[in-house]
Amino acid sequence: MTDPTGLEQARTKMTQAGVAPAAIETFTRFYHLLESGETGLIRENDVDPLVDIPNRAELTLSDDDAAAALAQTAMLKLNGGLGTSMGMDQAKSLLPVREAPDGAGELLTFLDIIVGQVRAARQATGARLPLLFMNSFRTRDDSLAALQRYADIAVDGLPVDFLQNREPKLLASDLTPVTWEKDPDLEWCPPGHGDLYPALHASGVVTALLGAGFRYMCVSNSDNLGATPDATIAGWFAASGAPYAAELCRKTAADVKGGQLVVRKADGRIVQRETAQTHPDDVAASLDATRHPFFHTNNLWFDLQALAAELERTGGVLELPLIRNDKTVDPSDSSSPEVVQIESAMGAAVAVFEGATAIEVERSRFLPVKTTNDLLVLRSDVYTLTSDYRLEAQAPAPLVDLDKAHYKLIDGFTQRFAAGAPSLRDADSLTVRGDWTFGSGVRAEGKATLSGEGGTVPDGATVGAEGF
């Protein structure tokens, strides 16, 4: 008998781990693409820019239509991330972000603020507005425990969460599942947020929402506190009749990563191109804001009837493009074996749904925290947290670049800003090189810069172009 193939080994491993059949079939489809040499690259010569889309700020919509649409809307937050890039080992959504708006001094996490946003929208509009989380096997327990303090958040008959799938990391040398006895958990990886579809299919959540009288669903990342419940967008989406819509923002100089929507020349369909799907020769063109003016926020809207029909038709195995992600089995050990992680992007489903569309939204709907640089801005006086739990900008967000050697991981970051974030309201940028600990009441102005080996920035100091 011949040895089982890499795919057979992977399928067996997933089956034994209880992974949903739709996720196994999705992995199988991607494995064949990977084996055939598919890269998932979308070349610039094969697409046109997407430029002509409606702008949320210019919509004319009656209050009644907006309220009616929101009353049929559910909110879904992708909550599978551990924040490993910042050295975390629990759900990123449990990271403290801001003090409570009541001034009592309590530090609120992403999850606390999301709950506050939904509660406020319910109170203001009367909408039931279910809040659901797609958790991973490593974030579920902690997140559900944190939600226990909010007994009112659940909507009768609907789950608070469902579980995303997992898949084996594959050895780059032969595409067999990797074995890592030091930490067997590292043998597994999430399949990217394109796993939303097989996970929804396995959980029955879409059917449950339709049965409870809901028609639309807004999906966003739990680390993006800008993606608040929005009746105006809900009303626009309902009136559009589209099965699917994506929220896009105009690019700034800081937007050097992230996916974008483009128009495929071959058939005129809108498709998503992620950074990992961009050929090195096309990077400059993809980042050129005069050619591709928008980037993808990963805030999506679905018509649940259209989504249910597609999940039923495909068994949850949507034909999304492959994203090949080359890593090491232990992300913190560059000498550990090289592996391939098979991923997909949920936004790539724009090409699956005929009639899919997009809308330009304000920058305030895109406030993600991917690094400690982002976290510092969010904690600073650039934003205030309103009584309805929205983050309201008081000034343009400066470009923050902290020395990765000292600030990349959350523990080091927290130690160096133990006295609180500096004032960034008057800063164009803050660049820190060296090991600096910030005192209380520090202000950054203009193009603020710290360099050298490091030290302590005194209480009340002002940091400018020449330091302090």
Side-chain angles (χ1 to χ4, degrees), residues 133-444:
F133 294 87
M134 184 172 83
N135 284 313
S136 69
F137 65 101
R138 298 184 72 179
T139 64
R140 184 177 217 175
D141 291 346
D142 287 345
S143 297
L144 291 181
L147 283 170
Q148 286 181 354
R149 65 186 293 197
Y150 302 114
D152 62 321
I153 203 64
V155 171
D156 288 346
L158 295 174
V160 173
D161 89 320
F162 61 97
L163 201 59
Q164 76 175 61
N165 296 295
R166 57 177 177 165
E167 65 187 20
K169 297 176 183 178
L170 305 173
L171 280 170
S173 57
D174 60 8
L175 300 185
T176 59
V178 70
T179 298
W180 194 244
E181 294 179 356
K182 291 181 182 178
D183 185 355
D185 279 350
L186 291 178
E187 297 174 8
W188 297 88
C189 63
H193 38 67
D195 180 58
L196 171 68
Y197 306 105
L200 282 172
H201 181 72
S203 68
V205 162
V206 174
T207 302
L209 286 169
L210 286 167
F214 296 95
R215 178 67 186 272
Y216 309 108
M217 182 168 68
C218 178
V219 182
S220 59
N221 293 328
S222 62
D223 68 359
N224 176 16
L225 294 175
T228 59
D230 191 298
T232 299
I233 300 178
W236 163 80
F237 182 59
S240 75
Y244 171 107
E247 296 182 27
L248 310 183
C249 279
R250 286 198 176 267
K251 290 178 181 174
T252 70
D255 301 313
V256 294
K257 290 187 177 180
Q260 60 186 196
L261 295 185
V262 292
V263 181
R264 190 164 55 199
K265 289 180 179 178
D267 57 8
R269 283 276 182 113
I270 299 174
V271 298
Q272 179 160 313
R273 176 169 62 181
E274 291 284 335
T275 302
Q277 295 171 287
T278 305
H279 190 281
D281 292 346
D282 296 332
V283 169
S286 74
L287 295 178
D288 183 355
T290 63
R291 177 168 173 77
H292 296 283
F294 303 110
F295 69 89
H296 202 298
T297 65
N298 229 32
N299 303 341
L300 303 180
W301 292 78
F302 293 92
D303 181 315
L304 290 170
Q305 291 182 357
L307 180 57
E310 187 64 19
L311 293 175
E312 178 66 24
R313 184 184 74 81
T314 63
V317 186
L318 272 64
E319 293 191 359
L320 304 182
L322 164 73
I323 298 177
R324 173 181 175 140
N325 205 342
D326 294 295
K327 301 270 191 178
T328 54
V329 63
D330 183 347
S332 66
D333 181 3
S334 60
S335 67
S336 61
E338 295 181 357
V339 295
V340 176
Q341 296 180 192
I342 292 176
E343 297 180 8
S344 61
M346 69 173 182
V350 67
V352 172
F353 293 98
E354 186 173 358
T357 188
I359 184 170
E360 179 183 349
V361 298
E362 301 91 334
R363 187 67 181 220
S364 59
R365 289 192 61 77
F366 183 70
L367 302 173
V369 173
K370 303 302 181 187
T371 67
T372 53
N373 296 332
D374 303 325
L375 182 60
L376 186 67
V377 177
L378 209 61
R379 286 184 175 178
S380 77
D381 61 352
V382 168
Y383 296 98
T384 57
L385 188 63
T386 65
S387 59
D388 57 354
Y389 290 83
R390 290 179 300 106
L391 283 160
E392 200 168 77
Q394 305 301 306
L399 184 62
V400 171
D401 183 7
L402 302 174
D403 193 323
K404 291 181 180 179
H406 306 291
Y407 302 90
K408 178 181 179 180
L409 304 183
I410 193 66
D411 286 348
F413 171 88
T414 301
Q415 291 169 12
R416 290 163 178 82
F417 291 106
S423 170
L424 298 177
R425 199 176 290 190
D426 296 319
D428 299 316
S429 61
L430 172 63
T431 303
V432 179
R433 294 292 176 267
D435 185 3
W436 293 94
T437 297
F438 284 67
S440 64
V442 174
R443 297 177 64 253

